[in-house]
Amino acid sequence: MINGYFIAALSGLMVVEAIGWIGELLNLRALDPTLPDKFADVYDAGDYRRSQDYTRTRTRFGLVASLFDLAVLLAFWLAGGFGWLDEVVRSFGLGPVWTGLVFFLILAVAKGILDLPFQIWGVFVVEEKYGFNLSSPRTFVLDLVKGLMVAVVLGVPLMIGFLALFEYGGDAAWIYAWAAVVAFSFVMQILAPTLIMPLFNKFTPLEDGELKEAILVYARRADFPLKGVFSIDASRRTTKGNAFFTGFGKSKRIALFDTLVQRHPVGELVAVLAHEVGHYKKRHVLIATVFSALEMGLFLGLFALLLEQAGLFQAFGVDEPSVYAGVIFVAILLRPLELVLSIGGAALSRRHERQADSFAVTTTGRGDLLAAGLKRLSRDNLSNLTPHPFFVFLNYSHPPVLERVRALESGRST
Ligand SMILES: [Zn+2]
């Protein structure tokens, strides 16, 4: 078992975990007991204390969950679990593609069962304690079932196609697989907002009234179709407010959480909408999709190369190389690369958020309204106002809210 690949995979995994933990610990130490001045008008001392408690609780919970995951993976790996599972699935005597599918299904079900207690604890203990949780056990179970159905309907054909391509596609298989995965992700951008998200939330066109009028005026000026603006019933799960932009072309949608709509004045809601329109106008969904397509190409190219290395399979206790086992082993071996790319992706996303903020300032002429909206939102969501820069560098898809508020209030276009 112990060879170069074993050492590379194990040490890479440990380094990635350690970097994550260092980020979390620095983030805890950066919690500053003094409320930033900018937020004095929306937070009282109690809100601020609760937001810090919430960050602490979530961090501890996240650390326990990630330690548990790591322990399970290492125990399974070092006890020869992969080799054992490979023999079990081979003993069924199915072809390579179906054998692979069974291999993935067993791993996915096992992982799902192990993760379930953490998911339940996260929703019904952590979120509950801070008054965020509105999910009933029924909603929770329905979400699980629907999520599973989507995963099976979309994931199984994708997996079969992937395994078959690498099994029978020859040297160029990774290029075909890349093309297929890229096509799939573009199709998903269209299907997700119109077919999949509505399974989980009800999308309602805005009701007539002051908000719709104000949005109509803005949407006309910014040339965004009003029929793409919806309110969604986020309140069936959480009290947290949010908004997002998704899809492209005809499937593009802006969703405002009902929790947001209920609590913010119209001016702030239009400002939030303007930020989301900014994501559309600046083609952020397209850019992010292209970025992940390039990333996927890099992974698939490396996967094709590594699949030839018998040493990689030996490192995980598997004697006979196979495409399906390779998927798992390459994913573990490339964890450090994945970390680097996710840091790059987060930086790109923070850049897009800044652009969407300045778009909102330019098109509404009012940076202060979006700033006020963000402040109210961070208070209601108990956001961490003082994240550590290293933690932001590793994880944040948005710039820290204090930085955004400063930029918005000074009307700076970045
Ligand atoms: Zn945004």
Side-chain angles (χ1 to χ4, degrees):
M1 206 182 238
I2 297 177
N3 61 19
Y5 285 104
F6 177 85
I7 293 166
L10 186 61
S11 53
L13 193 62
M14 297 312 283
V15 167
V16 168
E17 289 286 328
I19 291 173
W21 297 335
I22 290 169
E24 301 281 356
L25 295 174
L26 286 174
N27 205 41
L28 284 181
R29 284 183 50 186
L31 288 172
D32 182 346
T34 21
L35 174 67
D37 290 345
K38 286 263 179 225
F39 286 79
D41 53 340
V42 268
Y43 277 64
D44 63 27
D47 295 329
Y48 190 55
R49 212 177 322 111
R50 260 160 47 81
S51 79
Q52 300 201 321
D53 266 359
Y54 182 54
T55 300
R56 281 190 202 98
T57 306
R58 292 226 315 178
T59 306
R60 280 190 213 113
F61 174 61
L63 281 176
V64 171
S66 82
L67 270 175
F68 176 78
D69 266 359
L70 180 67
V72 169
L73 172 59
L74 290 181
F76 187 72
W77 174 5
L78 300 178
F82 288 114
W84 165 80
L85 181 60
D86 190 46
E87 278 174 30
V88 170
V89 294
R90 282 179 193 277
S91 74
F92 298 149
L94 308 163
V97 171
W98 296 105
T99 303
L101 189 65
V102 174
F103 182 83
F104 288 133
L105 287 179
I106 292 175
L107 285 178
V109 168
K111 174 118 178 72
I113 292 171
L114 288 171
D115 284 345
L116 191 57
F118 290 96
Q119 246 182 304
I120 294 173
W121 187 272
V123 173
F124 293 103
V125 177
V126 178
E127 295 292 290
E128 185 78 35
K129 180 179 169 201
Y130 291 89
F132 290 130
N133 178 42
L134 297 174
S135 275
S136 62
R138 181 190 139 84
T139 307
F140 185 85
V141 171
L142 276 176
D143 281 354
L144 275 183
V145 172
K146 287 187 260 184
L148 206 61
M149 275 163 41
V150 171
V152 169
V153 169
L154 295 172
V156 166
L158 194 69
M159 232 44 257
I160 292 175
F162 183 89
L163 291 170
L165 271 177
F166 273 95
E167 206 60 53
Y168 308 112
D171 284 346
W174 73 276
I175 297 187
Y176 303 138
W178 187 17
V181 171
V182 169
F184 178 79
S185 75
F186 273 86
V187 170
M188 282 307 296
Q189 292 291 344
I190 294 164
L191 294 188
T194 46
L195 280 182
I196 297 170
M197 290 179 193
L199 292 175
F200 295 90
N201 278 103
K202 201 157 114 207
F203 284 72
T204 322
L206 293 173
E207 284 167 30
D208 288 339
E210 199 194 342
L211 176 62
K212 188 173 172 180
E213 284 306 313
I215 284 181
L216 190 64
V217 171
Y218 176 80
R220 210 174 271 150
R221 194 151 32 104
D223 192 25
F224 187 87
L226 184 71
K227 65 173 172 46
V229 184
F230 294 84
S231 154
I232 66 166
D233 57 347
S235 61
R236 63 197 286 174
R237 298 192 186 85
T238 177
T239 65
K240 288 182 177 173
N242 209 343
F244 62 84
F245 173 77
T246 172
F248 23 69
K250 282 212 167 71
S251 75
K252 65 177 172 293
R253 281 182 173 191
I254 289 175
L256 302 171
F257 283 24
D258 54 353
T259 45
L260 187 84
V261 173
Q262 286 150 13
R263 281 192 298 238
H264 291 251
V266 168
E268 291 179 17
L269 292 170
V270 174
V272 169
L273 180 94
H275 169 98
E276 302 303 334
V277 172
H279 283 309
Y280 162 64
K281 292 284 177 181
K282 307 267 174 188
R283 300 176 181 280
H284 290 159
V285 171
L286 185 67
I287 295 170
T289 309
V290 170
F291 178 83
S292 60
L294 292 175
E295 210 176 287
M296 191 51 81
L298 178 61
F299 274 105
L300 286 170
L302 288 171
F303 174 69
L305 286 176
L306 289 163
L307 212 49
E308 313 281 317
Q309 311 300 315
L312 175 66
F313 292 86
Q314 284 151 13
F316 287 89
V318 168
D319 301 328
E320 233 179 297
S322 63
V323 179
Y324 56 86
V327 171
I328 308 286
F329 304 157
V330 170
I332 296 174
L333 181 69
L334 296 182
R335 278 288 278 279
L337 177 65
E338 190 199 325
L339 175 68
V340 170
L341 291 170
S342 92
I343 290 173
L348 178 71
S349 168
R350 290 195 300 275
R351 184 184 149 86
H352 286 170
E353 294 304 330
R354 281 187 215 104
Q355 290 176 350
D357 279 353
S358 11
F359 179 89
V361 175
T362 319
T363 55
T364 60
R366 295 282 304 268
D368 58 321
L369 284 175
L370 185 54
L374 288 178
K375 286 202 267 188
R376 202 188 296 268
L377 198 61
S378 22
R379 183 199 57 200
D380 293 345
N381 293 354
L382 296 178
S383 311
N384 179 8
L385 298 185
T386 57
H388 190 278
F390 184 62
F391 189 76
V392 172
F393 170 76
L394 288 179
N395 301 302
Y396 266 44
S397 61
H398 290 60
V401 64
L402 187 57
E403 184 189 318
R404 292 176 72 188
V405 165
R406 279 202 189 111
L408 286 165
E409 286 184 348
S410 68
R412 211 173 348 116
S413 299
T414 43

